[in-house]
Amino acid sequence: MPNHTDGVVDLIDHLKNPFHDSDCMACAGLLACVRSHTCHAVPGCVGFWDMQRILVLNPKGGSGKTTVATNLASYFASLGDRPLLSDNDPQGSSTRWLKKRKPEQAFIHGVAAFERNTRMTRAWQMRLPPDAAHVVVDTPAAVPGQDMPEMTRGADAIIIPVLPSDIDIHAFSKCVADLLLIAKVRRDENRIGVVANRVKRNTIIYQSLMRFLDTLRIPVIATLRDSQNYVRAAEQGVGLHEMKTSMVEQDLEDWAPLLGWLRAKEEAMAQRSADSLEGNAHQSDVHLIT
């Protein structure tokens, strides 16, 4: 049986140091490509130094991982980014969604990481596109707890969708326990965000879910209503942010907190990058003086 979590680990390992195969000294030495959308024009540069890496995770199947992953990729593409959507689920739902997209739609890089292509090396198959500022990983179901440390290492954001049902809440609680206790993801890192998915706010089970989530001290970054717009989007190979605003206005409002959470993390990352550049420049000045 193939281990479908290997693709996630391969991709995250590559993301930890996007310049490990690079001959681009401007990028590797001076970090000149931080947030630069012209970086990919430099020969040898293989990615953004501060590329945002988003892992959509829940070992429970049917929780809405693909819905969240594809809509995130669509959102970033609609902004002019050319994001990478890595499909690590052997069901291949994200890959099928990508194949439905039309040439005139905003471009999204796709990797069917669950497939093993004998005509190319694994490193080549998992290579990062040089013009992508965001990587969204659609993880497989049934991820064992012992695989989570490797899978989550290097991820900037770990988004866990959960449905309002007793079975899903139980599976979700185990997933969170594995992240905290086995993967050693600390709450104060603020890397984990919960998405309450397909909810009907006036139901008892939704209220039970929200009460349970309040006890975890992990932020609920979005509450997505049970909407047919997600079905329509999946059928057409688009995301909500590519549909007519008048049709999806309420759904877009649901997504605003999640996107704001990711944006805040990205801004913090950019600030750390700027501080690092300033520190490197200061050290260079010191060396020149001495």
Side-chain angles (χ1 to χ4, degrees):
M1 288 289 291
N3 184 350
H4 296 292
T5 64
D6 287 347
V8 184
V9 174
D10 291 343
L11 185 66
I12 294 297
D13 280 344
H14 195 94
L15 286 166
K16 288 186 299 178
N17 182 5
F19 303 106
H20 73 279
D21 291 326
S22 177
D23 296 324
C24 174
M25 295 308 295
C27 291
L30 300 178
L31 307 181
C33 65
V34 174
R35 304 313 306 156
S36 169
H37 284 266
T38 59
C39 169
H40 61 277
V42 181
C45 181
V46 295
F48 291 106
W49 181 71
D50 60 349
M51 178 184 289
Q52 190 175 44
R53 301 145 294 187
I54 303 166
L55 199 68
V56 185
L57 172 71
N58 189 332
K60 171 73 169 60
S63 59
K65 294 186 293 293
T66 297
T67 296
V68 172
T70 54
N71 276 276
L72 278 174
S74 165
Y75 167 73
F76 293 130
S78 72
L79 296 180
D81 182 21
R82 293 162 66 89
L84 170 64
L85 177 59
S86 178
D87 188 357
N88 294 75
D89 190 336
Q91 293 185 9
S93 299
S94 287
T95 300
R96 285 195 299 275
W97 176 83
L98 275 173
K99 289 179 178 178
K100 292 179 181 179
R101 293 181 66 79
K102 298 176 182 177
E104 62 268 22
Q105 290 174 320
F107 184 78
I108 298 172
H109 294 282
V111 174
F114 61 90
E115 294 180 345
R116 292 286 179 171
N117 191 331
T118 58
R119 293 175 295 178
M120 64 178 68
T121 65
R122 187 65 171 168
W124 179 258
Q125 182 186 6
M126 301 302 294
R127 72 194 185 281
L128 295 176
D131 55 350
H134 300 87
V135 173
V136 182
V137 181
D138 184 5
T139 61
V143 176
Q146 62 266 26
D147 288 351
M148 286 194 182
E150 287 292 323
M151 180 179 292
T152 58
R153 185 179 57 185
D156 300 303
I158 303 167
I159 297 177
I160 313 175
V162 57
L163 301 183
S165 78
D166 287 336
I167 294 175
D168 286 88
I169 292 172
H170 176 76
F172 166 80
S173 63
K174 185 181 185 306
C175 174
V176 171
D178 288 342
L179 285 172
L180 298 177
L181 301 178
I182 299 179
K184 304 297 183 183
V185 179
R186 303 197 314 269
R187 284 186 174 90
D188 59 7
E189 293 175 334
N190 194 33
R191 287 200 290 158
I192 304 176
V194 179
V195 172
N197 193 26
R198 296 184 209 152
V199 303
K200 296 179 180 178
R201 287 179 171 83
N202 60 346
T203 60
I204 294 175
I205 189 63
Y206 165 70
Q207 295 167 5
S208 298
L209 171 64
M210 300 310 292
R211 282 196 300 268
F212 169 72
L213 294 177
D214 284 342
T215 67
L216 297 180
R217 293 185 291 120
I218 293 174
V220 178
I221 57 175
T223 301
L224 308 181
R225 70 185 184 122
D226 189 5
S227 169
Q228 284 299 303
N229 286 328
Y230 293 103
V231 178
R232 298 187 187 100
E235 290 174 347
Q236 299 170 26
V238 300
L240 294 178
H241 291 84
E242 298 175 293
M243 299 174 72
K244 291 183 179 179
T245 303
S246 58
M247 290 179 54
V248 296
E249 187 172 3
Q250 185 175 345
D251 298 306
L252 295 182
E253 291 177 3
D254 291 346
W255 274 81
L258 187 161
L259 299 175
W261 183 73
L262 289 173
R263 194 175 304 114
K265 296 175 73 62
E266 196 167 25
E267 290 171 355
M269 186 188 304
Q271 184 60 53
R272 290 194 297 270
S273 300
D275 293 343
S276 177
L277 284 172
E278 185 177 346
N280 288 345
H282 177 71
Q283 288 181 358
S284 298
D285 291 342
V286 170
H287 288 310
L288 288 174
I289 294 172
T290 56

